[in-house]
Amino acid sequence: IIRDHAGGNKELRQEIGRDLIIVGSSADFGDTYVNKFVWDGDAFMVGNLHVSVMSSPCHTKGHVLYEIDTTKTQNVIQQAAFIDQSSSQKSKLQDNYKPSQKLLSSPARSPRLLFTGDTLFVGGVGFFFEGTSKDFVSIIRRLLPMDEDTLLFCGHEYSKKNLSFAQTIEPLSANIQKKLEEVTKLRENKMPVIPTTWGEELSYNPYIRVVKGDIHSFRENSVLEGIDLLNEKKAEFANEYRLAQNK
């Protein structure tokens, strides 16, 4: 169980009540207080939003990604597949339900949104706690056909550190330099970096670029060897970065 993501579920259930539906991976172990279990290929509704589930067992064995496709939204909350309420409860929910137009009317370039948790970050990836490079490569290869304007929402803000590492791998990359400058300015002004797009990540995320074979210096290795080498270099960089931050 990743406590920084699921650690508050117990308190939420206590505060809101047992009718609260908490969706989570069927492969997670321990008491996560999840009462709607999902896995690869499943789909459900959150209000009028259609959510698809993709397993991504690498950071943890039970990790999943959630994709929202707003072209599949429903107008009536009773159509939510996972809601099992009495007729009176459903009526009350519908009376109080006001669909948020934020996602639908925002200047987002795509109707698709992918919530990547700790699998993918801006310019980087999560640590392979329970998975391998082979697991990770399999996940990325499944994602490669995804529309480049898909919006990515990750679980942590490590953008500047990740892009600084990416720059050590491709020091001449204009894409990395441009994004690093953008991120630095946003963070200095306490503004969010997230979301990015899949197309952006394809252009500067070293892990994705190794899988695609886009980094020339890694082409001598197999893809799996390349990811292992990246992890070694990232660990060295993390130590140096931490020491620099503590000075």
Side-chain angles (χ1 to χ4, degrees):
I1 301 169
I2 302 298
R3 295 293 177 186
D4 57 339
H5 292 267
N9 289 351
K10 178 180 179 180
E11 288 73 18
L12 282 172
R13 288 284 299 279
Q14 291 173 337
E15 182 71 22
I16 297 174
R18 297 189 63 84
D19 288 339
L20 175 68
I21 297 168
I22 300 178
V23 180
S25 170
S26 61
D28 278 339
F29 298 98
D31 196 348
T32 60
Y33 292 86
V34 167
N35 53 10
K36 168 66 179 179
F37 293 96
V38 295
W39 191 238
D40 195 64
D42 288 339
F44 57 93
M45 300 294 294
V46 176
N48 68 338
L49 297 176
H50 182 278
V51 185
S52 300
V53 183
M54 174 184 162
S55 61
S56 56
C58 187
H59 183 67
T60 62
K61 290 294 185 184
H63 201 293
V64 294
L65 312 181
Y66 296 110
E67 181 189 48
I68 293 178
D69 182 353
T70 59
T71 65
K72 296 181 179 179
T73 56
Q74 303 291 337
N75 294 323
V76 183
I77 196 168
Q78 293 104 311
Q79 292 173 321
F82 66 83
I83 290 183
D84 184 17
Q85 305 282 356
S86 67
S87 296
S88 61
Q89 286 174 312
K90 286 182 177 180
S91 177
K92 184 177 180 181
L93 283 168
Q94 185 181 4
D95 290 342
N96 294 323
Y97 177 63
K98 296 179 180 179
S100 171
Q101 294 299 312
K102 185 174 181 181
L103 293 177
L104 305 181
S105 61
S106 71
R109 293 173 291 257
S110 169
R112 293 182 183 274
L113 303 89
L114 185 69
F115 291 81
T116 62
D118 286 357
T119 294
L120 280 177
F121 299 132
V122 178
V125 302
F127 193 79
F128 302 176
F129 283 120
E130 297 178 355
T132 64
S133 293
K134 184 177 180 180
D135 295 325
F136 175 77
V137 170
S138 177
I139 294 165
I140 297 303
R141 285 177 172 162
R142 286 187 68 184
L143 293 176
L144 282 177
M146 189 164 57
D147 292 341
E148 290 193 11
D149 52 4
T150 299
L151 294 169
L152 304 187
F153 295 81
C154 60
H156 293 280
E157 175 50 80
Y158 301 143
S159 307
K160 187 174 180 180
K161 180 180 177 181
N162 287 340
L163 290 163
S164 296
F165 169 65
Q167 201 164 49
T168 69
I169 302 300
E170 294 187 278
L172 301 180
S173 170
N175 292 323
I176 295 173
Q177 181 61 35
K178 178 181 178 182
K179 189 64 178 181
L180 185 55
E181 290 173 359
E182 175 190 323
V183 164
T184 300
K185 184 176 291 185
L186 286 169
R187 298 309 298 151
E188 285 175 351
N189 290 286
K190 302 188 184 303
M191 297 292 290
V193 173
I194 301 161
T196 57
T197 67
W198 179 238
E200 285 184 280
E201 294 302 318
L202 290 172
S203 75
Y204 54 62
N205 190 314
Y207 282 85
I208 299 172
R209 290 176 59 73
V210 165
V211 174
K212 288 187 65 197
D214 288 343
I215 301 181
H216 295 281
S217 60
F218 280 74
R219 287 182 178 174
E220 297 177 359
N221 310 98
S222 70
V223 172
L224 295 183
E225 290 171 340
I227 295 299
D228 288 338
L229 181 58
L230 262 186
N231 280 336
E232 291 174 12
K233 290 180 176 293
K234 184 180 176 182
E236 294 171 3
F237 173 84
N239 287 333
E240 294 170 1
Y241 190 89
R242 186 165 45 250
L243 290 172
Q245 295 296 107
N246 291 334
K247 286 184 178 178

